[in-house]
Amino acid sequence: MTRNMSYLTDFEEIDKGYVAFGGNPKGGKITGRGTIKTSNLDFENVYFVRELKFNLFSVSQMCDKKNSVLFNDTECIVLSLNFKLTDKSHVLLKVPRKNNMYSVDLKNIVPKGGLTCLFAKATSDESKLWHRRLGHINFKTMNKLVKGNLVRGLPSKLFENNQTCVACQKGKQHRASCKSKTVSSISQPLHMLHMDLFGPTFVKSLMKKMYCLVVTDDYSRFSWVFFLATKDETSGILKSFITRVENLIDQRVKIIRCDNGTEFKNKEMNQFCKRKGIKREFSAARTPQQNGVAERKNRTLIEAARTMLADSKLPTTF
């Protein structure tokens, strides 16, 4: 469109209605049409609008003629029909044309490279809110979700970490590890016994045993394995075992280390240990012992039970 009739050749008067500009739905009336000819390029069907203050250039009409239009910070360049893009890596964004308009939909585009200028920066409170909503995800990954449009409802904004997340700091804290002991504090057999009971097993033994009690001497690593039909037999077996083993090797049991199971922590065992002067050490609930004894004990328990179950020379009372 132009306001200068002298630019137009092949001019003809027409009545095409009004064109809106400047917020006025009847900004100007189209009263004529013509062609603007230049040395390299002709502009056809140029409307004459007397109320215009500037000449208007239609990019879509120029592209209809298979020309390419390039905009930069200083000028607009119309390229020839033979122009071809030499390197596709230079393309950062592609926007489809619909109804003679190039509409940018930030929720459906996939930007390439470092194109972040199209995304408005989120406020500090908004970044913190979405950081918590997405399970304290890091901001780099959150921006990838935005660019890939992978989360429905996530605003198309650039999230930045301007504040320290206290929950993330606490979640990344590590508990200081305990130093391993170089010298064992146990100097003789039966000074400390580790014991544990597991069961019921899915398969019963020939004598209908479903539980397995393993006792390990901390000094010698020698293990005793007992098979039980019920957990109630634990106290009686331990009392008989401790009395017998103390008499055999002429040593006394001083410490028993076990978990908080009722098979070890009951009135009968309390009275027996008090009478014998045996100290009991209970592990914290659902927490492995820090000196690694629990892990070794579990391995010993499994291996000992597996060996005895596979042994064909087991006594008939098993």
Side-chain angles (χ1 to χ4, degrees):
M1 298 181 185
T2 183
R3 53 176 280 184
N4 195 334
M5 188 181 296
S6 62
Y7 293 161
L8 301 174
T9 60
D10 302 330
F11 179 80
E12 62 174 327
E13 293 184 0
I14 60 172
D15 185 4
K16 293 285 290 186
Y18 291 86
V19 59
F21 55 84
N24 187 356
K26 293 187 177 181
K29 182 175 177 58
I30 302 174
T31 58
R33 179 174 57 189
T35 303
I36 298 178
K37 295 183 178 181
T38 64
S39 58
N40 296 324
L41 186 65
D42 293 340
F43 298 90
E44 298 176 354
N45 295 322
V46 180
Y47 290 150
F48 172 70
V49 181
R50 193 180 302 276
E51 292 81 6
L52 281 176
K53 295 183 179 181
F54 303 95
N55 298 321
L56 297 182
F57 171 72
S58 175
V59 176
S60 61
Q61 291 185 26
M62 193 55 56
C63 293
D64 287 338
K65 294 185 176 183
K66 308 303 179 181
N67 294 101
S68 299
V69 182
L70 175 65
F71 292 89
N72 55 36
D73 58 342
T74 58
E75 58 188 354
C76 171
I77 304 173
V78 179
L79 304 173
S80 67
L81 302 178
N82 299 325
F83 172 78
K84 292 183 179 180
L85 190 65
T86 58
D87 191 353
K88 293 185 178 181
S89 63
H90 294 161
V91 178
L92 299 181
L93 178 66
K94 288 185 178 181
V95 179
R97 175 184 171 183
K98 295 181 180 179
N99 300 324
N100 290 337
M101 294 288 292
Y102 299 91
S103 302
V104 180
D105 186 359
L106 291 179
K107 293 185 178 180
N108 294 324
I109 65 173
V110 181
K112 301 179 181 179
L115 185 64
T116 57
C117 59
L118 292 177
F119 295 94
K121 288 187 178 181
T123 62
S124 178
D125 292 339
E126 195 174 14
S127 296
K128 187 166 55 176
L129 174 65
W130 280 101
H131 171 67
R132 294 198 304 266
R133 282 179 175 176
L134 296 176
H136 294 269
I137 190 175
N138 66 76
F139 287 84
K140 183 178 180 181
T141 303
M142 189 156 54
N143 287 322
K144 287 183 178 180
L145 297 178
V146 174
K147 292 180 180 180
N149 193 28
L150 299 177
V151 179
R152 186 182 297 111
L154 183 63
S156 300
K157 295 185 177 181
L158 181 63
F159 295 96
E160 292 182 347
N161 185 17
N162 297 324
Q163 297 180 3
T164 302
C165 181
V166 179
C168 289
Q169 284 187 333
K170 291 183 178 180
K172 294 177 182 178
Q173 290 179 345
H174 298 278
R175 184 178 63 181
S177 59
C178 297
K179 295 182 179 179
S180 58
K181 296 173 62 176
T182 56
V183 180
S184 177
S185 57
I186 306 301
S187 58
Q188 58 185 3
L190 300 187
H191 184 94
M192 177 184 291
L193 295 180
H194 302 276
M195 55 186 65
D196 195 12
L197 178 76
F198 76 88
T201 58
F202 292 104
V203 181
K204 296 182 181 180
S205 68
L206 297 177
M207 297 300 295
K208 308 300 180 181
K209 307 294 184 179
M210 299 178 61
Y211 294 87
C212 183
L213 172 65
V214 176
V215 181
T216 302
D217 177 39
D218 191 275
Y219 178 78
S220 63
R221 293 295 154 192
F222 190 84
S223 298
W224 297 266
V225 182
F226 304 93
F227 298 94
L228 297 74
T230 62
K231 294 173 66 174
D232 299 338
E233 302 176 15
T234 305
S235 298
I237 290 177
L238 285 177
K239 289 166 59 178
S240 175
F241 164 73
I242 292 175
T243 303
R244 184 174 68 256
V245 76
E246 286 181 342
N247 181 60
L248 287 175
I249 64 175
D250 198 18
Q251 295 285 352
R252 291 185 55 203
V253 176
K254 297 180 175 60
I255 301 174
I256 290 177
R257 183 170 290 178
C258 57
D259 57 21
N260 289 268
T262 55
E263 63 271 12
F264 305 115
K265 210 172 185 178
N266 53 61
K267 183 178 180 180
E268 186 177 359
M269 285 299 298
N270 293 343
Q271 293 177 350
F272 175 76
C273 293
K274 184 177 181 180
R275 185 175 69 253
K276 298 280 291 183
I278 299 175
K279 178 184 176 182
R280 286 184 296 171
E281 297 179 351
F282 299 102
S283 61
R286 298 179 297 276
T287 303
Q289 299 181 18
Q290 296 180 354
N291 59 4
V293 173
E295 182 180 356
R296 294 196 299 268
K297 178 190 67 175
N298 291 336
R299 288 201 301 264
T300 305
L301 183 150
I302 295 173
E303 293 299 327
R306 184 180 298 166
T307 302
M308 295 196 68
L309 289 173
D311 193 351
S312 59
K313 298 181 180 181
L314 291 176
T316 56
T317 56
F318 168 62

